[in-house]
Amino acid sequence: MEFKIRNIHSWMIFQKSKEMQIESEFLVPGVEDFIELKKGKKRVVINRAISPSLTHIAGAITENKIACNYLLQENNYPIPAFIFASEIGKIELLFLEKFAPIVVKPFDTNKGAEIHMNVQNTNELKEALNNVKKVSTQAILQQQATGLDYRFLVIDRQVTGVLWNEWPSVVGDGIHTIENLVQFENENRRITKTVVYEKPTEMLVEIPIEGLSDLLAKSNKRLSDILPKGEKIYLGNCGNGWTGSVAHDATDNVHPSINKKVIELINFLDIDIAGLDVRCDDITKPFKKAGFNVIEVNTRPSLVDHEFPLFGKSRNVTEKYLDYLFKD
């Protein structure tokens, strides 16, 4: 290839295609949004890991969080209570009173921008809503589910990989302050590379320092505190990679009844390839006892962290994706 590929997802698709003897090139030279794949007489154009079989209506419903959340809720799929808001009025205050702590997040953006967790009072709600409105036309106010954050990858209506996205954290050494530990962790993240098909790649973003003081205050801690040796403290409560979470493969830990419910939900939405973000108290338990809640459905899932998790077993999801695209 004479062009330089910047997007690691595109790079991985190109390299795996080469291994599988699938021709690959950018549909528009130098534009990484669309890749053209050819094998024999079949030609497929992809955008990230979106399915070419995805219908317009199914895609539009999942892109519209109001529609998707409503349909899931009305059909008894486990999704935390939610409302949509552009300002604070009686309904929003009643929702906060009933469901606090709540999450306040954008309606129409991604990459973890302006997700505000553990909102518990009116002042925090006002601040969160003002920040969300900088990046989104509306905010979603949602009851905050308990448990850990997971991403289920579905390809060809089968669960092919599950990640536990652990919140960013540091571990005390009894010497340095929390602020020092964050600085050390971020420096380590800057220099640590994962080799993806011979391409050294930064797989972790830095832990955002902005807002850490307020987050720590809820646990009666400060950035200037020295963390005791061996004590682990989380510096976020959102399992989004763009906010510093760490991917652990958890595919083998999931109870079969949970995978079955995930496939049922994806089939209900008429999607064949998806990333399902959930919160779950215990993925090893049967679905009805697991504390399972749907957070978001994504029809353009990333394959990278499933192939190259920071911890745990690599899953060959890119090959499964390409096999599916060219399945007879």
Side-chain angles (χ1 to χ4, degrees):
M1 298 177 204
E2 296 181 3
F3 43 79
K4 182 179 180 181
I5 300 177
R6 295 184 297 274
N7 184 299
I8 192 62
H9 197 276
S10 298
W11 170 258
M12 199 168 69
I13 293 287
F14 272 104
Q15 298 305 310
K16 182 60 72 172
S17 298
K18 189 186 300 181
E19 288 181 7
M20 298 174 66
Q21 298 182 319
I22 298 171
E23 295 180 50
S24 58
E25 61 181 357
F26 291 133
L27 184 66
V28 179
V31 177
E32 297 192 29
D33 289 343
F34 304 98
I35 297 175
E36 182 179 44
L37 303 170
K38 295 178 183 177
K39 187 176 183 181
K41 295 181 179 180
K42 189 169 184 178
R43 170 185 175 271
V44 179
V45 176
I46 61 171
N47 171 223
R48 203 173 177 87
I50 195 170
S51 169
S53 301
L54 181 69
T55 66
H56 173 76
I57 294 300
I61 286 173
T62 52
E63 288 288 327
N64 186 311
K65 294 183 176 67
I66 294 176
C68 190
N69 285 9
Y70 175 82
L71 285 173
L72 292 176
Q73 186 179 68
E74 287 299 299
N75 287 274
N76 298 314
Y77 288 101
I79 185 165
F82 67 94
I83 59 172
F84 291 81
S86 55
E87 58 184 22
I88 296 176
K90 184 178 180 179
I91 293 174
E92 289 73 22
L93 292 176
L94 286 173
F95 186 88
L96 176 66
E97 181 181 347
K98 183 176 181 179
F99 293 112
I102 66 172
V103 182
V104 181
K105 58 187 179 181
F107 164 70
D108 50 9
T109 187
N110 54 22
K111 296 185 177 180
E114 297 296 349
I115 296 177
H116 298 266
M117 310 286 291
N118 285 327
V119 174
Q120 302 195 49
N121 57 54
T122 303
N123 288 336
E124 291 177 351
L125 177 57
K126 288 179 180 177
E127 182 179 0
L129 186 58
N130 286 337
N131 285 327
V132 166
K133 288 172 69 175
K134 295 175 185 176
V135 299
S136 178
T137 55
Q138 290 189 81
I140 303 173
L141 277 56
Q142 191 164 39
Q143 181 182 10
Q144 186 165 305
T146 61
L148 304 178
D149 290 306
Y150 296 91
R151 160 59 70 95
F152 285 71
L153 178 66
V154 176
I155 298 174
D156 193 12
R157 305 181 191 272
Q158 299 177 33
V159 174
T160 56
V162 181
L163 296 173
W164 165 38
N165 289 319
E166 184 184 17
W167 307 335
S169 64
V170 292
V171 178
D173 59 7
I175 301 172
H176 295 94
T177 65
I178 294 174
E179 185 172 17
N180 292 149
L181 295 172
V182 173
Q183 292 169 346
F184 299 155
E185 173 65 15
N186 282 341
E187 177 60 26
N188 184 57
R189 290 179 176 220
R190 282 191 289 270
I191 63 175
T192 300
K193 310 285 186 181
T194 297
V195 179
V196 179
Y197 291 99
E198 302 180 354
K199 188 181 184 72
T201 305
E202 293 180 18
M203 297 294 284
L204 287 170
V205 302
E206 294 179 32
I207 299 171
I209 195 72
E210 184 180 358
L212 270 189
S213 293
D214 292 338
L215 179 68
L216 290 169
K218 292 181 179 181
S219 302
N220 295 316
K221 293 186 182 295
R222 297 170 298 177
L223 283 169
S224 58
D225 289 347
I226 294 175
L227 202 60
K229 187 174 182 179
E231 181 177 332
K232 184 175 186 176
I233 183 171
Y234 283 108
L235 303 169
N237 40 31
C238 173
N240 191 297
W242 295 97
T243 61
S245 69
V246 178
H248 302 246
D249 176 71
T251 309
D252 293 333
N253 301 335
V254 183
H255 194 278
S257 63
I258 292 179
N259 284 336
K260 183 179 179 180
K261 195 69 175 182
V262 168
I263 297 305
E264 179 189 315
L265 184 152
I266 295 302
N267 287 342
F268 167 74
L269 292 172
D270 194 23
I271 305 170
D272 53 349
I273 296 176
L276 184 68
D277 293 326
V278 309
R279 272 205 166 182
C280 190
D281 290 328
D282 190 343
I283 62 169
T284 67
K285 291 183 177 180
F287 173 77
K288 291 183 178 180
K289 298 180 180 180
F292 182 99
N293 279 282
V294 177
I295 303 300
E296 189 169 279
V297 184
N298 190 330
T299 56
R300 292 179 176 83
S302 172
L303 305 176
V304 178
D305 283 336
H306 294 277
E307 291 266 4
F308 297 94
L310 268 293
F311 299 94
K313 184 178 178 180
S314 171
R315 303 291 167 173
N316 195 12
V317 297
T318 310
E319 183 172 316
K320 291 180 180 179
Y321 171 63
L322 294 171
D323 273 338
Y324 176 56
L325 296 182
F326 289 93
K327 186 169 71 170
D328 294 331

